[in-house]
Amino acid sequence: MSPQISQGLFSSLEEFLRRLFFAAEGEALAAMADLDLSFSQVRVLFALAECREAVPINEVAGRLNLSVATAGRAVDQLVSDGLVDRRGDSKDRRIKRISLSDEGKSLAGRHIEMQRDVLREFAEGLPVTDAERLLNALNPILEGTSLRAHREETPA
């Protein structure tokens, strides 16, 4: 790919995603602000939403590039707020495993659904010809391996 095409694609994707994310995050972040959570707490909350099972605190810290102490403080507050459950590991009592509580799952689910609503509204508002062109451009990319490989390498 030529540098001009690469730069043009980058610039267009960046602007497209910036506008889409801005629209999606406005409402959702306002709802999160009402909970008075720190940025680290929000990051831990959504990292846990991606986990299928309880994970050690140090694993979440690593995924988010936080110190274990910072992640631990965030978890302490989330446990206190009833958004995260913490329990000892069945094989190693020194390890504490964390997962979203039912309330935490509900909160994360509502946030994700708000984002999905914005995406749905965007998709439904596109003119048919633009929607078809976007769909025809995205499908081969999504069926390919470039995003899948990146996602598998990126911890959730």
Side-chain angles (χ1 to χ4, degrees), residues 16 19 57 64 93 109 121 128:
F16 173 75
R19 290 182 192 186
I57 293 173
L64 298 174
R93 292 187 324 214
E121 187 177 311
V128 173

Side-chain angles (χ1 to χ4, degrees), residues 113-129:
E113 199 51 44
M114 280 187 218
Q115 291 176 321
R116 290 179 55 121
D117 287 344
V118 169
L119 289 174
R120 195 174 293 109
E121 187 177 311
F122 166 76
E124 291 170 355
L126 278 178
V128 173
T129 55

